[in-house]
Amino acid sequence: MTTDRTTTPATGPDETRFALSCDGITKAFQGVRAVNGATFDVPEGLVTALIGPNGAGKTTVVNILSGSMTCDSGTEHIGGTDVTNWPSYRIARLGLMRTFQLSRELGGLTVLENLLVAAPDQAGESMVNVFFRPSAVRRQERENVARALDILETYGLFHLRDNRASDLSGGQKKLLEISRAVMASPKVLLLDEPMAGVNPALIERIGGYILDLKAAGVTVLMIEHNLSVVERICDHVIVLAEGQTLATGKLSDLRENEEVVQAYLGEVIDASTHG
Amino acid sequence: MSNIWYYVFTLVFFLFDYFILAMGLNIQYGETGILNFAYIGFVAVGSYVTGALALPSSVGTGQHYILGLGLPFPVNLILGGLASCGLAVVVALISLRRLRTDYLAMVLISLSLVLYDICNNFVPLFNGADGLYNVPEPFAGVLKLTTNSFIPFFAAVTGVIAALLWWVMSRITRSPQGRTFRAIRDDEVVAAALGKDVFRNQLKSMLIGSFYAGVGGGLIIQFSGSFNPTAWLPGETFVVFAVLIVGGVGNNVGMLVGSLVVETLLIHLPAFLPAIPGHPGLIEYFDSVLIGILLMAMLWFRPQGIVPERVRRALSLGAPANLVAGRGEAPGSAPGRPVPVEIATADAQGEK
Ligand SMILES: Nc1ncnc2c1ncn2[C@@H]1O[C@H](COP(=O)(O)OP(=O)(O)OP(=O)(O)O)[C@@H](O)[C@H]1O
Ligand SMILES: [Mg+2]
């Protein structure tokens, strides 16, 4: 399956490097093509939006890129490594973290423990270390706890640290998803609608967090329906429609693109200008 | 020693033994979420192997069994535990990697039935329906205990082993390894997305739990000197589950409490009660009725069990007190950091 790129791919200036690329990704569910040759590159160190109508296959693409799902065909590269259909734990260990559209907290664990689980390279996950190097395990655990508490403070969840994650509100769970991913010190972060269903003040805060992550050198790919958010925090936009990459580029350029406007932007622009 | 003490120490033995068995099932189900409906099969393998290793060569004993090495206690017991681990590896490789929890549970029920049929019918393995008997008492040559002094002695030995295994298990469940198990229990997909090798961790959990099952089984055959298929009908798995649910899934101390309530009080104590006049043997069937009622009552009124899973708070996880005290406590005042960008939204004003 080949795809047409209606705009030139975002090669940008020559030195632009891509943290994540996928080429010709397809995925069918019971014969229905949810993803149909999605092809795009995610530039390193920037915030990229993945937009498109409901059911366009955005979440499915994120599932495939993060290894939560395998694809039927196509390839995926992270920083030059071919990671096509790698299991998600190996992709995660390369530094790619993702959040879920419908928050998936580890409900039986506390908020703090949710973050601690995500800490990379834990000595205490080896039985040998637990019994024969307990002081090394304890030391690392103390460091991780301190870092997790810092992150919780940054994300405004500190006061909830000892609550069971299942007891959080919807918005708090969204914050937990992001802070848990941040705990893993990701190089690439895939956010599936991080601002869906949260109040406008929190939308602002989350936008701020995302820009902070960018400033810290994290590459972000976020699915987002709110175009005013996309306009303000995303450097680059990928439009997905019916499982294909319809266009990539700056949002302002995409607004000029007939096809994109017809497939997706039209109504939204109308709604936001007249609404 | 009077009969009453004989009974009491038998109860004490089963209290400790089911404590061990419940800890093993708890790490699999309570901590990692593996619904091991074949658990009693792992207990049986440990029991048979422990017994067959303690027995001398089968020639001339009138029994048929493999191994027959005459190994001393506790070498045979440890090998019995490892034999259960061997079964766990086979089961894990065949089914754990491919199947979701509910399908895995069905496969494990079938496995339990198949194991049962094999042991019950294939005489050369562990003497078929007759099972193993005349298993030498541990330390028989050294201590020369009478039957009556052996029972309290071995109940105490089992208590020591249970305490040791409890210490080991607490270390595991308190460690980051235990936390990773619980993460997998709560959501495998999330755990994998956070970099956890789910299969590897489930395999570890299966191995730990199976070792406990095997040792618990081995202690049974060493205590009673015999073990046969009537001792491990596949439904026995649910007695261990009942211990778990009553005691409190995910809590090691709960396992001891559950063992006391279910195993000691409900299963074994009625057997020592006087028979109901005119209905000999009836009372022995009461245990399953009582367990059923208790399980329903627990799930209805106290699903977290008598001793619920601990909430592991920041301070108990090693957070320095000064790190926790006095910051971020007022969520309204200053949650986090200043927001660097303004994202104008049409209706944002009302919120600020
Ligand atoms: N596990 C699944 N089984 C069957 N069909 C699926 C599955 N996941 C997604 N689909 C289908 O694939 C298509 C794309 O779904 P996807 O969730 O990727 O859309 P999306 O772009 O994220 O939409 P939204 O903006 O509403 O979140 C939809 O038609 C959906 O019904
Ligand atoms: Mg989606």
Side-chain angles (χ1 to χ4, degrees):
Chain A
M1 200 80 225
T2 54
T3 34
D4 300 323
R5 298 194 193 191
T6 50
T7 57
T8 38
T11 43
D14 278 347
E15 63 270 23
T16 305
R17 300 204 305 160
F18 299 115
L20 176 67
S21 317
C22 63
D23 194 352
I25 300 274
T26 68
K27 176 76 181 181
F29 296 109
Q30 291 103 40
V32 179
R33 290 261 173 138
V35 182
N36 199 7
T39 301
F40 56 81
D41 305 302
V42 179
E44 196 171 274
L46 299 183
V47 180
T48 302
L50 182 59
I51 65 172
N54 291 115
K58 303 180 297 294
T59 296
T60 308
V61 164
V62 163
N63 282 338
I64 291 167
L65 294 180
S66 63
S68 299
M69 220 177 239
T70 56
C71 59
D72 300 336
S73 64
T75 56
E76 177 191 1
H77 287 80
I78 296 176
T81 312
D82 185 344
V83 298
T84 310
N85 285 346
W86 275 24
S88 65
Y89 76 91
R90 287 186 64 198
I91 291 184
R93 288 176 190 181
L94 274 187
L96 183 144
M97 282 287 134
R98 58 87 49 98
T99 64
F100 294 87
Q101 179 168 3
L102 301 172
S103 303
R104 293 177 79 156
E105 72 287 352
L106 301 166
L109 305 189
T110 66
V111 168
L112 176 61
E113 284 182 300
N114 264 263
L115 265 69
L116 291 175
V117 167
D121 302 320
Q122 297 182 52
E125 285 184 293
S126 139
M127 223 69 95
V128 175
N129 290 339
V130 169
F131 287 99
F132 299 105
R133 296 179 53 222
S135 59
V137 170
R138 253 197 316 273
R139 192 173 344 108
Q140 194 195 32
E141 182 79 348
R142 263 200 304 272
E143 288 164 12
N144 285 338
V145 168
R147 201 163 86 78
L149 289 173
D150 282 344
I151 293 174
L152 287 179
E153 191 170 29
T154 304
Y155 284 80
L157 293 173
F158 187 82
H159 61 294
L160 298 168
R161 62 190 178 277
D162 289 334
N163 288 36
R164 264 184 213 270
S166 55
D167 297 340
L168 298 188
S169 76
Q172 291 164 342
K173 285 179 183 174
K174 286 277 179 197
L175 287 171
L176 177 59
E177 286 259 329
I178 301 173
S179 48
R180 188 174 63 193
V182 168
M183 181 71 192
S185 309
K187 294 194 190 76
V188 183
L189 190 54
L190 310 187
L191 304 172
D192 195 344
E193 301 196 21
M195 301 168 184
V198 304
N199 74 55
L202 186 51
I203 289 183
E204 289 186 36
R205 260 172 64 200
I206 294 177
Y209 297 141
I210 292 171
L211 289 179
D212 281 357
L213 289 167
K214 174 188 168 185
V218 180
T219 303
V220 179
L221 174 69
M222 60 186 282
I223 300 179
E224 184 52 61
H225 285 295
N226 183 339
L227 289 182
S228 82
V229 170
V230 171
E231 184 141 53
R232 277 163 187 81
I233 70 172
C234 299
D235 308 289
H236 184 69
V237 176
I238 297 163
V239 186
L240 207 67
E242 292 171 8
Q244 303 195 10
T245 318
L246 192 62
T248 61
K250 288 199 170 309
L251 186 63
S252 49
D253 300 339
L254 294 175
R255 286 194 202 274
E256 322 274 287
N257 184 320
E258 270 301 303
E259 239 182 317
V260 175
V261 172
Q262 267 179 13
Y264 182 59
L265 298 180
E267 300 162 45
V268 185
I269 288 171
D270 286 351
S272 64
T273 41
H274 304 301
Chain B
M1 195 169 57
S2 67
N3 267 354
I4 184 80
W5 287 109
Y6 176 91
Y7 290 141
V8 166
F9 283 111
T10 301
L11 291 180
V12 169
F13 167 77
F14 279 106
L15 169 69
F16 289 142
D17 195 62
Y18 269 71
F19 177 38
I20 296 171
L21 294 184
M23 283 192 289
L25 184 59
N26 184 53
I27 188 87
Q28 295 179 349
Y29 172 65
E31 302 278 333
T32 320
I34 304 166
L35 208 43
N36 186 355
F37 281 155
Y39 193 68
I40 201 68
F42 292 85
V43 177
V45 166
S47 192
Y48 280 128
V49 171
T50 302
L53 284 169
L55 283 160
S57 161
S58 64
V59 181
T61 58
Q63 303 184 54
H64 302 275
Y65 48 84
I66 56 167
L67 305 169
L69 300 179
L71 291 179
F73 187 88
V75 177
N76 61 335
L77 183 71
I78 292 166
L79 291 176
L82 293 177
S84 274
C85 293
L87 178 64
V89 171
V90 175
V91 171
L93 289 179
I94 294 172
S95 56
L96 209 50
R97 201 190 277 272
R98 311 202 152 272
L99 298 174
R100 284 205 336 254
T101 320
D102 34 4
Y103 291 113
L104 179 67
M106 285 193 275
V107 167
L108 286 167
I109 289 183
S110 323
L111 171 82
S112 185
L113 298 171
V114 169
L115 271 180
Y116 189 82
D117 278 345
I118 291 175
C119 293
N120 200 15
N121 295 310
F122 186 54
V123 177
L125 190 60
F126 298 120
N127 212 29
D130 290 339
L132 302 177
Y133 47 89
N134 290 340
V135 177
E137 268 177 20
F139 313 117
V142 192
L143 297 176
K144 306 213 172 8
L145 297 168
T146 64
T147 309
N148 274 348
S149 50
F150 173 75
I151 285 185
F153 166 72
F154 201 70
V157 168
T158 304
V160 171
I161 294 173
L164 185 69
L165 290 177
W166 176 67
W167 179 80
V168 168
M169 190 59 91
S170 322
R171 279 299 271 271
I172 296 172
T173 51
R174 261 191 281 126
S175 71
Q177 171 69 79
R179 183 167 60 219
T180 298
F181 285 156
R182 289 188 291 281
I184 288 168
R185 170 196 70 189
D186 285 354
D187 194 327
E188 278 182 30
V189 175
V190 171
L194 294 175
K196 309 303 169 192
D197 183 343
V198 172
F199 173 73
R200 199 185 140 88
N201 279 288
Q202 286 178 329
L203 179 60
K204 274 196 218 175
S205 170
M206 277 293 278
L207 288 176
I208 301 166
S210 302
F211 185 77
Y212 279 58
V215 167
L219 289 168
I220 292 175
I221 198 170
Q222 289 282 244
F223 179 75
S224 57
S226 64
F227 191 79
N228 62 53
T230 58
W232 61 288
L233 293 162
E236 286 290 315
T237 292
F238 297 100
V239 175
V240 191
F241 269 102
V243 172
L244 224 70
I245 289 164
V246 170
V249 174
N251 190 308
N252 292 318
V253 177
M255 298 306 106
L256 186 60
V257 176
S259 180
L260 180 71
V261 173
V262 173
E263 183 59 21
T264 311
L265 299 183
L266 287 187
I267 297 197
H268 284 285
L269 210 52
F272 299 129
L273 296 176
I276 296 170
H279 301 280
L282 179 64
I283 207 149
E284 281 163 35
Y285 292 94
F286 274 12
D287 52 7
S288 23
V289 177
L290 285 175
I291 287 179
I293 293 171
L294 181 67
L295 268 185
M296 280 190 283
M298 285 302 295
L299 291 173
W300 191 265
F301 295 110
R302 200 175 163 83
Q304 70 274 38
I306 298 174
V307 191
E309 185 176 352
R310 282 180 52 213
V311 175
R312 293 166 171 84
R313 291 177 203 288
L315 287 171
S316 75
L317 291 171
N322 62 337
L323 259 185
V324 177
R327 68 170 196 181
E329 293 293 353
S333 60
R337 27 163 303 297
V339 181
V341 281
E342 270 280 295
I343 294 164
T345 36
D347 46 356
Q349 281 80 359
E351 294 290 328
K352 294 223 81 178

